[in-house]
Amino acid sequence: MAEGEGPETTTEHERILQEIESTDAACVGPTLRSVYDDQPNAHKRFMEKLEARIRNHDREIEKMCNFHHQGFVDAITELLKVRSDAGKLKVQVTDTNRRLQDAGKDVINQSEEVIRCRVHQRNIAITVEKLQLCLPVLEMYSKVREQMKSKRYYSALKTMELLENTYLPQVYQYRFCQIMTENIPRLREEIKEISMSDLKDFLESIRKHSDKIGEMAMKQSQQQRIFNRVVKKQTHNGNEKLYAASGAFLGHFDTATPEQLQDDEEEYEEEVLTAQDLVDFSPVYRCLHIYTILGDRETFENYYRRQRRKQAGLVLQPQSNMNETVEGYRKYFNQIVGFFVVEDHILHATQGLVTRAFTDELWNMALSKIIAVLRTHSSYCTDPDLVLELKNVIVVYADTLQGYGFSVSRLFDLLLEIRDQYNETLLKKWAVVFRAIFESDNYSPIPAANEEEYRMIISRFPFHDTELEKQPFPKRFPVSMSVPEIYKEFKEFIYASLKFSESLHRSSTEIDDMLRKSTNLLLTRTLSGCLQNLIKKQHIGLTELVQIIINTTHLEQACKYLEDFITNITNVSPETVHTTRLYGLSTFKDARHAAEGEIYTKLNHKIDEFIQLADYEWTMTEPNGRASGYLMDLINFLRSTFQVFTHLPGKVAQTACMSACKHLSTSMMQMLLDTDVKQISMGAIQQFNLDVIQCELFASSEPVPGFQGDTLQLAFIDLRQLLDLFMVWDWSTYLADYGQATSKYLRVNPSTALILLEKIYKRMKDTNKKKHYIFSVQKK
């Protein structure tokens, strides 16, 4: 079998055998499988090789055993010797173990107790450690509660934020932390509700205190305005003297000295309170911070602005009787100023809660409402003092809000409208004053018994007459007492009108123009109307009318002094291009014309009254030989009346005299032609002729100087030629010269002559005293 084996087969078998010897039993299978996978009958040869290897190993074992056999025998012998000692040792060990077990029971018990204590200690340490983590959470939660109790909501929110983000995550596994986590949103909502409630209280508070806040702000603004005015007056001493000329014009503050003003300022500074003193703004700050932290700032801003808009609407609603007193207006303005002072404070004290655009929107809305309210309510004011006080309140109101950055130009434009209304109320007031002056005037020249009385009159009225000054006392001014009174009222009106122009931030030229226009209205409307009504009153007689003409003449001359007076007040040169002139001079001319016309009317009416007293006996046979009594009374009346006309302008007196004579002539002509008079005797004609002669004598006596020649006598020329025609019975001449310019009876109207002739004819017919030439005249 060795012969059939090759070297390779032998080497392979050797390798397999080495693997079997060195490999674990579990891995022998694959190695043995390779034996069967080789050449046929290879396993037989391998088995043979394996048996040969086993025999070799057996021989080696036997050799080794033989080598160690003696030592083994010796070891067995030695082991047998130790066997008895081992038994003894076992007994001792057993006994020792028993005794040790008995002694270790207490130790075991104590050890178990120690173990339990150590477990307790460990649990306590863990508990302490966990409590140390939980205590800050509890402390922070307790701090939140305390902060909320003390109303420190902003700090409470900060604490909650720290608790939620830092401390709770460390102990989130505990149930109480979960409860806290659930409570924190509710606490935040509670804080929002509380802060919103505080904000509502704040809004109600500023609603109540707006009046006081506005009053303090306007008081401070007024104090500053007064101070500026006094400083300005110190630099304009000339103007100060002019203003001081009227006590009614200057008030307490206008005449205050710098020392007095200093005292007023110190007193004012002690009393004045700011918005922060009157209202606690912390709720709105706190609420703003709270909503900002909670990320809901926009909601808060919208709510605040919406509520303030509503409050603005309430503030702007005026009381129904506001126009009755200035206090109503002042309270109205105080509330509005207080509202916007608060808004201005919020604007500057917070970041974005209100914006300038928002306050400007509110202001524009309020300004439109205020202007509408003032236009409505001021229109009911009939007292100029109330209108003036209203103007002063509006100026202080405008200056106050202008100091806070609000545009007030529309308010000053409104003041110009109110100024027109103020002028209207002044005109109505001065109309009453003028009527009272006219009613109390005696329409007699002012007497001056001594120098003092003379100087007193000329100090009140600019009257200059060198001839009067040279006359000895007692003297008499040509004007009546109403003239200096009216001139004084002119100046008072100018001062009153000037009062409204103060603090309107207008130039001197504009103020000068306003004064002149209002003075023109006083002249052309108020005084003119009063004069016209006065002239038409029934109790005003000819003497009064003559005095009115004289008065208006002197008032017209005094108008140039009024212009100088206005110029001195405003310091605007009259040569300025745009200076308004006093065109009210026509008022006095119109009044004079009306008075002159009334003189003519009343004079004619008086003549008619005398004519009505005429009692002619138209059928008398012989004249009385003297003029009628009514006519002599009339002539005497005319003489005395025309003597009063000596102070009138010559043309006026001449016109009145001519008008009276013409009216008398016409009236006497109407008596002759009266249809009720059916018959007239020649005796009546002769008596009538005596009356006409007296009229002619009166006309020739020049009752009013200035007539040339027999101009006044021409008023009776119609009567004279008619009477001459019948007295002389010069019908041939009349008929021959009829229509010629040189006719002796040129002014005799044929129809008039025929009417009178018929009346005489009827009388002659009844008395059978007709003559043949009368018939011849009638036939012709």
Side-chain angles (χ1 to χ4, degrees):
M1 187 174 60
E3 293 176 356
E5 293 179 358
E8 295 179 358
T9 303
T10 302
T11 303
E12 181 64 24
H13 287 173
E14 193 66 31
R15 183 187 65 76
I16 291 173
L17 289 174
Q18 290 179 356
E19 286 185 7
I20 291 172
E21 290 175 352
S22 60
T23 304
D24 294 339
C27 299
V28 173
T31 304
L32 293 178
R33 189 179 298 112
S34 64
V35 175
Y36 292 95
D37 292 339
D38 289 341
Q39 298 175 5
N41 300 320
H43 66 284
K44 293 180 179 181
R45 290 191 294 274
F46 176 74
M47 292 299 296
E48 292 175 358
K49 192 69 175 175
L50 180 59
E51 290 176 359
R53 175 63 64 88
I54 291 172
R55 284 192 298 272
N56 289 334
H57 283 298
D58 288 340
R59 283 193 296 273
E60 291 179 357
I61 292 170
E62 185 178 356
K63 289 179 181 180
M64 186 174 291
C65 289
N66 289 332
F67 178 77
H68 293 288
H69 178 72
Q70 187 59 42
F72 176 72
V73 173
D74 293 340
I76 292 297
T77 302
E78 187 70 26
L79 182 62
L80 289 175
K81 292 179 180 181
V82 176
R83 184 175 179 180
S84 60
D85 293 333
K88 294 178 181 179
L89 180 61
K90 181 179 179 182
V91 172
Q92 292 177 354
V93 170
T94 302
D95 183 57
T96 301
N97 179 59
R98 180 183 57 75
R99 287 186 284 112
L100 181 63
Q101 291 294 332
D102 293 339
K105 287 181 180 178
D106 295 334
V107 175
I108 291 171
N109 292 332
Q110 292 179 359
S111 297
E112 290 177 352
E113 185 67 23
V114 169
I115 290 172
R116 286 195 298 271
C117 290
R118 291 297 177 86
V119 170
H120 290 166
Q121 287 179 347
R122 185 188 63 187
N123 293 337
I124 289 172
I126 293 173
T127 302
V128 169
E129 180 182 358
K130 297 301 181 182
L131 284 176
Q132 287 177 346
L133 291 176
C134 294
L135 278 177
V137 175
L138 297 174
E139 290 175 356
M140 295 295 285
Y141 192 79
S142 176
K143 185 177 180 181
V144 168
R145 285 296 188 181
E146 290 177 359
Q147 289 172 338
M148 291 185 64
K149 187 177 180 180
S150 60
K151 297 183 178 182
R152 297 164 54 199
Y153 303 115
Y154 179 75
S155 300
L157 287 174
K158 283 293 187 182
T159 304
M160 277 190 280
E161 183 179 2
L162 183 64
L163 177 64
E164 190 175 31
N165 296 331
T166 303
Y167 292 96
L168 284 179
Q170 298 177 3
V171 290
Y172 67 90
Q173 67 272 22
Y174 301 111
R175 188 170 179 272
F176 77 91
C177 294
Q178 297 175 0
I179 295 174
M180 287 183 183
T181 303
E182 294 174 356
N183 283 340
I184 285 177
R186 289 197 291 269
L187 291 176
R188 284 181 174 144
E189 289 299 321
E190 181 181 352
I191 290 175
K192 284 179 67 174
E193 293 176 0
I194 293 173
S195 62
M196 184 57 70
S197 176
D198 291 343
L199 176 66
K200 292 178 180 178
D201 294 339
F202 166 78
L203 293 174
E204 182 63 25
S205 174
I206 60 176
R207 175 75 175 90
K208 293 179 180 179
H209 290 86
S210 290
D211 188 7
K212 190 66 176 177
I213 294 172
E215 180 183 355
M216 293 297 102
M218 290 180 69
K219 186 176 181 181
Q220 187 177 17
S221 176
Q222 185 178 20
Q223 190 74 8
Q224 183 63 38
R225 187 166 65 94
I226 293 168
F227 177 78
N228 294 337
R229 183 188 302 173
V230 172
V231 172
K232 184 178 180 181
K233 284 183 179 296
Q234 290 177 345
T235 59
H236 295 83
N237 292 330
N239 285 347
E240 185 176 3
K241 292 178 180 178
L242 283 173
Y243 285 115
S246 173
F249 174 64
L250 296 176
H252 165 70
F253 293 111
D254 291 331
T255 58
T257 63
E259 292 77 10
Q260 291 172 336
L261 184 61
Q262 181 70 22
D263 295 339
D264 291 342
E265 283 185 342
E266 291 176 359
E267 180 181 356
Y268 172 73
E269 289 174 358
E270 293 176 0
E271 296 177 354
V272 71
L273 298 174
T274 62
Q276 295 91 326
D277 298 326
L278 296 171
V279 178
D280 180 16
F281 286 89
S282 59
V284 69
Y285 303 148
R286 183 165 55 246
C287 198
L288 175 62
H289 290 314
I290 288 171
Y291 273 77
T292 301
I293 291 175
L294 296 177
D296 206 10
R297 179 186 176 109
E298 184 178 356
T299 301
F300 172 73
E301 290 178 356
N302 293 335
Y303 176 81
Y304 177 84
R305 296 178 184 181
R306 185 169 59 254
Q307 293 300 316
R308 290 300 278 167
R309 280 194 181 93
K310 291 181 180 179
Q311 287 190 346
L314 295 176
V315 167
L316 294 171
Q317 290 296 329
Q319 297 180 353
S320 58
N321 60 343
M322 186 176 71
N323 60 293
E324 295 179 358
T325 62
V326 73
E327 290 303 321
Y329 290 104
R330 186 174 284 112
K331 184 176 181 181
Y332 179 67
F333 286 125
N334 286 343
Q335 291 178 347
I336 298 174
V337 170
F339 178 89
F340 283 100
V341 167
V342 169
E343 285 307 292
D344 182 78
H345 179 79
I346 295 294
L347 173 65
H348 292 90
T350 61
Q351 297 294 329
L353 177 56
V354 294
T355 62
R356 174 56 67 180
F358 173 73
T359 55
D360 289 343
E361 177 188 353
L362 283 181
W363 170 243
N364 291 329
M365 180 269 292
L367 191 57
S368 299
K369 178 67 175 179
I370 292 167
I371 290 174
V373 167
L374 290 178
R375 280 177 177 157
T376 301
H377 284 263
S378 64
S379 62
Y380 299 117
C381 294
T382 57
D383 182 6
D385 294 333
L386 178 59
V387 178
L388 183 61
E389 290 180 354
L390 172 59
K391 166 258 174 183
N392 292 331
V393 172
I394 294 176
V395 168
V396 176
Y397 167 73
D399 289 344
T400 301
L401 289 179
Q402 190 175 31
Y404 285 92
F406 295 99
S407 174
V408 295
S409 58
R410 291 174 61 190
L411 281 176
F412 284 102
D413 293 338
L414 174 65
L415 283 175
L416 294 181
E417 297 179 18
I418 298 179
R419 186 186 186 283
D420 295 335
Q421 180 186 347
Y422 174 71
N423 283 336
E424 290 297 325
T425 58
L426 284 182
L427 293 175
K428 293 178 181 178
K429 177 180 179 180
W430 256 260
V432 176
V433 172
F434 288 151
R435 284 196 293 267
I437 292 174
F438 290 142
E439 289 293 335
S440 62
D441 193 12
N442 58 7
Y443 297 97
S444 299
I446 304 173
N450 50 48
E451 184 71 22
E452 182 180 356
E453 293 181 1
Y454 181 82
R455 294 299 174 189
M456 183 184 67
I457 296 299
I458 63 175
S459 66
R460 298 170 60 186
F461 180 72
F463 180 82
H464 303 285
D465 190 345
T466 55
E467 294 183 1
L468 183 62
E469 292 178 357
K470 294 177 182 179
Q471 294 178 7
F473 290 100
K475 302 179 181 181
R476 297 180 72 87
F477 289 89
V479 297
S480 65
M481 186 56 71
S482 62
V483 172
E485 290 293 333
I486 289 175
Y487 186 78
K488 175 192 169 209
E489 292 303 325
F490 282 162
K491 295 197 292 186
E492 291 297 330
F493 177 85
I494 292 171
Y495 280 130
S497 182
L498 180 62
K499 284 183 182 180
F500 199 96
S501 300
E502 285 186 314
S503 306
L504 293 185
H505 309 299
R506 299 290 171 177
S507 65
S508 298
T509 303
E510 290 177 300
I511 295 176
D512 182 87
D513 185 67
M514 292 178 185
L515 290 179
R516 293 177 185 272
K517 286 181 178 179
S518 59
T519 306
N520 278 328
L521 287 176
L522 179 70
L523 295 174
T524 57
R525 284 176 48 187
T526 305
L527 182 60
S528 176
C530 292
L531 285 173
Q532 296 293 336
N533 292 333
L534 174 67
I535 291 170
K536 295 183 181 301
K537 286 187 176 180
Q538 295 296 327
H539 71 277
I540 298 297
L542 292 173
T543 304
E544 288 82 358
L545 290 172
V546 170
Q547 190 62 56
I548 289 172
I549 292 176
I550 297 172
N551 290 348
T552 54
T553 302
H554 286 276
L555 285 173
E556 180 180 354
Q557 295 172 356
C559 279
K560 64 179 181 179
Y561 297 101
L562 282 181
E563 289 197 346
D564 295 339
F565 180 73
I566 295 174
T567 299
N568 291 333
I569 289 178
T570 59
N571 287 329
V572 176
S573 174
E575 285 76 21
T576 304
V577 176
H578 300 290
T579 301
T580 303
R581 301 299 177 184
L582 289 183
Y583 55 82
L585 300 178
S586 60
T587 296
F588 303 109
K589 294 179 181 178
D590 295 340
R592 281 199 301 276
H593 292 159
E596 291 168 7
E598 196 67 19
I599 286 176
Y600 306 150
T601 302
K602 287 185 178 295
L603 194 57
N604 293 340
H605 180 69
K606 196 66 176 178
I607 292 173
D608 292 337
E609 292 179 356
F610 280 98
I611 294 295
Q612 289 176 1
L613 298 176
D615 187 16
Y616 285 102
E617 186 179 349
W618 297 107
T619 60
M620 67 172 56
T621 57
E622 296 294 334
N624 294 331
R626 63 181 181 274
S628 302
Y630 87 90
L631 185 64
M632 297 307 297
D633 293 339
L634 174 57
I635 291 175
N636 291 332
F637 165 75
L638 292 177
R639 289 185 187 278
S640 61
T641 300
F642 291 145
Q643 286 178 357
V644 179
F645 287 5
T646 54
H647 297 291
L648 286 177
K651 185 178 180 180
V652 176
Q654 293 170 11
T655 304
C657 185
M658 178 61 75
S659 173
C661 291
K662 286 183 176 180
H663 185 71
L664 176 58
S665 175
T666 303
S667 299
M668 294 181 73
M669 181 70 75
Q670 291 298 325
M671 284 193 293
L672 289 175
L673 304 178
D674 189 0
T675 56
D676 292 337
V677 179
K678 303 300 183 180
Q679 299 178 3
I680 298 178
S681 66
M682 289 305 297
I685 293 295
Q686 292 173 1
Q687 180 62 42
F688 199 81
N689 181 58
L690 292 176
D691 292 343
V692 174
I693 290 174
Q694 290 298 323
C695 293
E696 292 173 336
L697 291 175
F698 169 74
S700 63
S701 66
E702 196 175 3
V704 173
F707 286 106
Q708 296 180 356
D710 56 354
T711 303
L712 188 58
Q713 298 179 30
L714 293 177
F716 301 97
I717 190 65
D718 293 351
L719 274 175
R720 172 48 51 207
Q721 291 185 5
L722 180 63
L723 292 175
D724 286 347
L725 176 61
F726 281 89
M727 292 289 293
V728 180
W729 210 259
D730 194 8
W731 291 100
S732 58
T733 304
Y734 173 73
L735 295 175
D737 296 340
Y738 180 74
Q740 297 181 13
T742 58
S743 174
K744 180 180 178 180
Y745 305 103
L746 180 64
R747 306 297 297 271
V748 177
N749 190 292
S751 60
T752 303
L754 184 59
I755 293 173
L756 184 57
L757 183 61
E758 288 178 351
K759 292 183 178 183
I760 294 175
Y761 170 73
K762 288 181 181 179
R763 180 57 186 167
M764 288 182 176
K765 181 179 179 181
D766 291 342
T767 58
N768 296 318
K769 293 182 179 180
K770 301 183 290 295
K771 295 183 179 180
H772 66 279
Y773 58 85
I774 295 180
F775 294 107
S776 63
V777 170
Q778 287 181 332
K779 290 178 181 179
K780 292 179 180 179

